[in-house]
């Protein structure tokens, strides 16, 4: 049974082009986004920006949604806000947000990623 579990450990959670100006507490990870091709990428970025800019101020160049080697989005994004409090509010308000019938946002602070990566495997 344990062999069926995919930890996603090979997933690349680097911040890409994002340069955290406000510290890692001001960054959230939005997971369970649609995986889209490059022709729908900009539209999805627009939807994400619209959703989150209603809650808090996204930093300039503060949204990074990685793509794979084929140009497909990877199903998650990093968003940097002006403050850690804004990031926390955005995460709280949108975790569980239903984008469509197949995609419900799972949102965590970027700082949690380091904590999760240090959990010992049993």
């Amino acid at each position: 049974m344990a062999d069926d579990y995919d930890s996603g450990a090979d997933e690349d959670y680097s911040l890409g082009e994002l340069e955290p100006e406000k510290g890692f507490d001001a960054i959230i990870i939005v997971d369970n986004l649609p995986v889209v091709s490059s022709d729908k990428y900009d539209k999805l970025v627009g939807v994400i920006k619209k959703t989150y800019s209603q809650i808090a101020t996204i930093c300039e160049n503060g949204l990074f949604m990685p793509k794979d080697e084929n140009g497909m989005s990877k199903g998650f994004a990093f968003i940097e806000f002006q403050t850690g409090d804004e990031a926390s509010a955005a995460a709280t308000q949108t975790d569980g947000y239903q984008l469509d019938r197949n995609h419900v946002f799972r949102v965590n602070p970027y700082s949690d990623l380091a904590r999760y990566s240090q959990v010992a495997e049993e």
Side-chain angles (χ1 to χ4, degrees):
M1 207 36 103
D3 293 336
D4 293 337
Y5 175 71
D6 177 13
S7 69
D10 60 341
E11 195 68 66
D12 179 15
Y13 282 100
S14 66
L15 292 173
E17 300 167 2
L18 236 117
E19 296 178 10
E21 300 172 12
K22 312 295 180 187
F24 292 111
D25 289 341
I27 300 173
I28 62 172
I29 304 170
V30 182
D31 205 356
N32 203 29
L33 295 173
V35 174
V36 297
S37 59
S38 55
D39 62 324
K40 294 183 179 179
Y41 183 88
D42 289 339
K43 182 176 181 179
L44 181 56
V45 167
V47 168
I48 295 167
K49 282 183 177 180
K50 182 178 179 182
T51 300
Y52 282 94
S53 64
Q54 293 175 20
I55 299 167
T57 303
I58 299 172
C59 290
E60 185 175 344
N61 300 317
L63 191 145
F64 174 63
M65 192 166 57
K67 296 180 185 180
D68 67 15
E69 62 278 353
N70 297 315
M72 300 290 289
S73 66
K74 291 187 173 184
F76 62 92
F78 302 100
I79 305 173
E80 182 180 11
F81 295 94
Q82 293 293 317
T83 67
D85 289 342
E86 286 186 0
S88 180
T92 300
Q93 291 180 41
T94 60
D95 186 43
Y97 174 79
Q98 188 156 1
L99 179 65
D100 58 35
R101 66 181 182 170
N102 297 319
H103 300 93
V104 177
F105 289 179
R106 294 294 169 228
V107 185
N108 290 291
Y110 184 80
S111 56
D112 281 359
L113 187 63
R115 186 173 37 151
Y116 294 142
S117 68
Q118 294 178 8
V119 174
E121 292 189 28
E122 297 181 31

